[in-house]
Amino acid sequence: MNKLFSNSTVLLLFLVFLWGASWPIYKYALPFTPPLLFAGMRTFIGGCLLGILLLKRRDKINWRDNWRMYCISALFNTVLFFGIHTVGLNYLPGGLFSILVYFQPILLGLLAWIWLGESMTLVKIFGLFLGFAGIVVVSMDGLTYHVSVIGVVLGLTTAVCWAFGVIYVKKVRHRLDAYWMVSMQSMIGGAVLLGSGTIFENWSDIIWNGSYLFGVSFGIVFGIPLAYIVYYKLINEGEASKVGAFTFLVPIIAVFLGAVFLGEPITYLLVVGLAMVGLSIFIVNYQSKKKLLSIRELNRSEI
């Protein structure tokens, strides 16, 4: 029992719940704000808040050598990821959109095989095809009720941008401090989103009511600083494989909370597609976990 409810397990469940809850919360706030300004406010202020918490480690920024990497990461992981997904939430229910975006862990397995040389087993290939089939099933949900084609395209585009962003971070992670990477990409990307929102949207369109303030505050406090502090704490404790395996819960939580609190529809095809995507994410990450355990056992035997 103690092992089941260890500190790392509690933190992991908390993190997955944060990620899952963010989709309906942002969807709840979007009617009261233009999307680019909303995304920019969350990421820029959230990045600044995380930066304040990291001031004692400011010597690790190394801006002169790392500014290009910060900017490239900001492009994919903040400007494109947060910008596109916030716009896309206007077109689809939060739960359905999260399923499309969480095609990313499946796509990531394919890109990591192509560009990073990570292993690709038959079981992983099966998982990738299962996930793709799940996305097709979810997209066919338009036969049951109206689903915006634009929303589906934006959801999948978000997943692709996120996957490229993660691949890039994986390639340069040994040259950067992980926490400052998140803070800098959030501040840089957030500033770009705020600038774009200022040009193409109107600040006067923001309705500063409780719903908006709740959504933007959640993103500023929980969505950037707290979520990433917990995430990298788990990674540093050697829980990367467990984090990956538990990501299949995120769209499930998003769909459930969206149905309960926002009245978003849950259809037969949505449930089938969700199950396929969730199983696919688990299969792909379970294979990575097995590989990691095998490497650890080999290292122990050599010692």
Side-chain angles (χ1 to χ4, degrees):
M1 183 65 69
N2 290 334
K3 186 176 181 181
L4 179 63
F5 293 103
S6 64
N7 289 337
S8 63
T9 301
V10 172
L11 283 174
L12 177 55
L13 292 174
F14 173 70
L15 178 64
V16 169
F17 180 80
L18 275 185
W19 284 343
S22 66
W23 299 96
I25 289 175
Y26 297 153
K27 178 72 175 180
Y28 177 67
L30 265 174
F32 310 103
T33 174
L36 294 180
L37 291 175
F38 183 44
M41 289 274 284
R42 284 157 33 216
T43 53
F44 180 75
I45 300 177
C48 291
L49 181 58
L50 180 57
I52 292 172
L53 298 176
L54 297 174
L55 279 178
K56 290 183 179 180
R57 302 160 55 101
R58 59 184 177 275
D59 58 302
K60 296 183 180 294
I61 297 175
N62 198 8
W63 175 259
R64 180 174 296 179
D65 294 331
N66 296 335
W67 69 270
R68 290 182 181 85
M69 291 179 281
Y70 289 140
C71 291
I72 293 173
S73 182
L75 173 64
F76 286 103
N77 293 312
T78 303
V79 177
L80 294 177
F81 174 70
F82 282 99
I84 295 173
H85 100 236
T86 306
V87 173
L89 278 172
N90 281 311
Y91 294 91
L92 290 177
L96 173 56
F97 197 83
S98 72
I99 296 173
L100 297 172
V101 172
Y102 270 82
F103 183 55
Q104 182 267 3
I106 304 161
L107 183 62
L108 185 61
L110 180 62
L111 295 179
W113 171 56
I114 295 173
W115 283 318
L116 300 182
E118 295 186 4
S119 63
M120 178 62 68
T121 64
L122 289 176
V123 176
K124 251 188 178 180
I125 292 172
F126 170 75
L128 294 173
F129 276 108
L130 182 64
F132 178 75
I135 294 299
V136 172
V137 169
V138 168
S139 301
M140 288 172 57
D141 213 22
L143 298 175
T144 305
Y145 73 101
H146 177 67
V147 170
S148 168
V149 175
I150 295 176
V152 171
V153 171
L154 290 175
L156 294 176
T157 303
T158 302
V160 171
C161 294
W162 186 16
F164 276 110
V166 172
I167 288 291
Y168 180 75
V169 170
K170 277 192 171 190
K171 292 193 70 171
V172 302
R173 69 183 184 275
H174 61 284
R175 299 166 60 184
L176 300 164
D177 179 78
Y179 294 103
W180 272 114
M181 166 66 91
V182 174
S183 178
M184 296 302 295
Q185 73 182 26
S186 298
M187 287 190 285
I188 295 169
V192 172
L193 287 169
L194 285 174
S196 301
T198 301
I199 295 172
F200 299 107
E201 299 171 342
N202 295 311
W203 284 88
S204 59
D205 290 338
I206 298 176
I207 301 174
W208 299 83
N209 58 13
S211 299
Y212 170 74
L213 292 174
F214 174 67
V216 75
S217 299
F218 179 90
I220 290 170
V221 177
F222 294 100
I224 302 294
L226 186 58
Y228 280 103
I229 288 173
V230 172
Y231 174 76
Y232 282 111
K233 177 178 174 58
L234 291 168
I235 296 298
N236 292 335
E237 291 177 354
E239 301 289 352
S241 59
K242 188 183 290 186
V243 173
F246 269 64
T247 54
F248 80 96
L249 289 173
V250 175
I252 295 175
I253 294 171
V255 168
F256 175 77
L257 293 179
V260 172
F261 294 104
L262 300 181
E264 295 178 353
I266 298 181
T267 65
Y268 171 74
L269 286 176
L270 180 64
V271 172
V272 171
L274 175 61
M276 294 171 72
V277 171
L279 181 59
S280 171
I281 294 172
F282 180 80
I283 289 173
V284 171
N285 286 284
Y286 180 71
Q287 286 294 300
S288 299
K289 182 178 180 181
K290 285 181 67 178
K291 179 183 176 184
L292 180 61
L293 291 174
S294 298
I295 293 173
R296 286 177 178 170
E297 291 298 326
L298 179 60
N299 290 337
R300 286 184 189 139
S301 64
E302 291 175 348
I303 294 173

